[in-house]
């Protein structure tokens, strides 16, 4: 903490007061350090797929291209890496938009129960491939939420696809909707590997992954939950995790709701 003092005094007369300005230097330093870390992370995350692509393209140039087995395989790798880079850049653009001062949500009043079922219906198709079952514990009470539909869909997509990614074959994913006072609480619960206690607070940080190599091979960018956090906060909600390592993970978030479309109780 840095303090600057100024004395208020007129022509050598009596001292009328003192102005003290306190600067939280540590906070400024922290912001600067976070920014540097972020740039280093972005560079690293972009360099990794680029160096992979470079070496595969060199191998193709050196002759692999005419090998009926290696040719298509190496091209497949470069294609995957390109797709990863596109996902990463899209996520970064999304975060940079949210960070900008004039960020605006496109709000409308949504029947949330109907909406939540629609989002899960869409995932039912994909989940069938991995033999994952969705269990819906969705209270049917009329619930209206003033929200940006596309943005909230992105929040749910990120959380539900994590639940599926980190679940074993045949696992259950339970989606719950409950009402507490003037808030709804949505939770997405899986029976996957769980998250160690010391990592639980960090999973909402940009680029944090519990197991970098594993998460990368599954195709994540490390930005999904950071985006979810920003978007839930923009909707005046909270988001958090509860997890038992080895047993499963539940992500919770809250949003304010009303009982009718006009926003009244
Ligand atoms: P990623 O794109 O790597 O999935 P996220 O921001 O979505 O990035 O998640 C950050 C990290 O949190 C993941 O890399 C993973 O280690 C951990 N994580 C998120 N959801 C789960 C889950 N349901 N089960 C286990 N680990 C999870």
């Amino acid at each position: 903490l840095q303090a600057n003092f100024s004395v208020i005094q007129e022509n050598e007369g009596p001292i009328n007061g003192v102005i003290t300005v306190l600067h939280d230097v540590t906070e400024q330093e922290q912001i600067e350090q976070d920014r540097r870390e972020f740039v280093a992370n972005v560079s690293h995350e972009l360099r990794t797929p680029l160096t992979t692509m470079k070496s595969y393209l060199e191998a193709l140039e050196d002759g692999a291209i005419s090998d009926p087995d290696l040719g298509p395989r190496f091209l497949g790798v470069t294609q995957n890496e390109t797709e990863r880079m596109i996902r990463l850049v899209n996520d970064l653009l999304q975060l940079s938009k949210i960070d900008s001062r004039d960020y605006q949500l496109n709000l409308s009043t949504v029947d949330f129960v109907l909406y939540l079922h629609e989002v899960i219906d869409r995932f039912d198709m994909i989940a069938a491939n991995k033999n994952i079952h969705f269990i819906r514990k969705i209270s049917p009470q009329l619930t209206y939420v003033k929200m940006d539909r596309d943005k909230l869909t992105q929040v749910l997509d990120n959380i539900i696809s994590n639940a599926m990614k980190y679940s074993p074959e045949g696992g259950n994913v339970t989606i719950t909707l409950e009402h507490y006072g003037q808030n709804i609480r949505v939770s997405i619960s899986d029976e996957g590997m769980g998250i160690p206690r010391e990592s639980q607070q960090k999973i909402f940080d940009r680029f944090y992954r519990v197991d970098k190599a594993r998460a990368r091979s599954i195709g994540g960018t490390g930005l999904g939950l950071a985006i979810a956090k920003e978007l839930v906060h923009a909707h005046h909600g909270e988001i958090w995790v509860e997890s038992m390592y080895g047993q499963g993970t539940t992500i919770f978030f809250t949003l304010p709701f009303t009982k009718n479309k006009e926003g009244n109780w």
Side-chain angles (χ1 to χ4, degrees), residues 211-249:
D211 177 345
K212 273 202 187 289
R214 198 195 142 88
R216 204 175 274 131
S217 73
I218 294 178
T221 61
L223 296 173
L225 287 178
I227 292 173
K229 181 183 83 174
E230 299 296 343
L231 291 174
V232 168
H233 286 174
H235 283 84
H236 308 291
E238 296 293 331
I239 184 167
W240 69 98
V241 61
E242 282 175 16
S243 180
M244 286 279 276
Y245 194 41
Q247 290 185 23
T249 300

Side-chain angles (χ1 to χ4, degrees), residues 112-113 115-117 119-120 133-141 143 145 152 156 159-160 163 172-180 183-191 238 240 242 249-255:
F112 198 82
V113 175
Y115 162 79
L116 191 55
H117 279 293
V119 171
I120 305 169
H133 301 283
F134 285 111
I135 299 173
R136 307 180 191 210
K137 294 187 177 164
I138 299 175
S139 149
Q141 180 183 323
T143 304
V145 176
L152 240 281
L156 282 162
I159 300 173
I160 297 173
N172 291 319
V173 173
T174 306
I175 296 171
T176 308
L177 170 66
E178 292 163 298
H179 300 76
Y180 292 94
N183 288 311
I184 52 167
R185 192 179 83 178
V186 180
S187 63
I188 294 92
S189 199
D190 65 60
E191 298 169 348
E238 296 293 331
W240 69 98
E242 282 175 16
T249 300
T250 305
I251 304 281
F252 296 90
F253 68 87
T254 61
L255 294 173

Side-chain angles (χ1 to χ4, degrees), residues 162 165-166 190 194-195 203 208-210 215 220-225 249:
N162 278 346
K165 273 194 305 202
Y166 300 105
D190 65 60
I195 300 167
I203 59 167
Y208 183 82
R209 298 175 178 116
V210 178
T221 61
L223 296 173
L225 287 178
T249 300

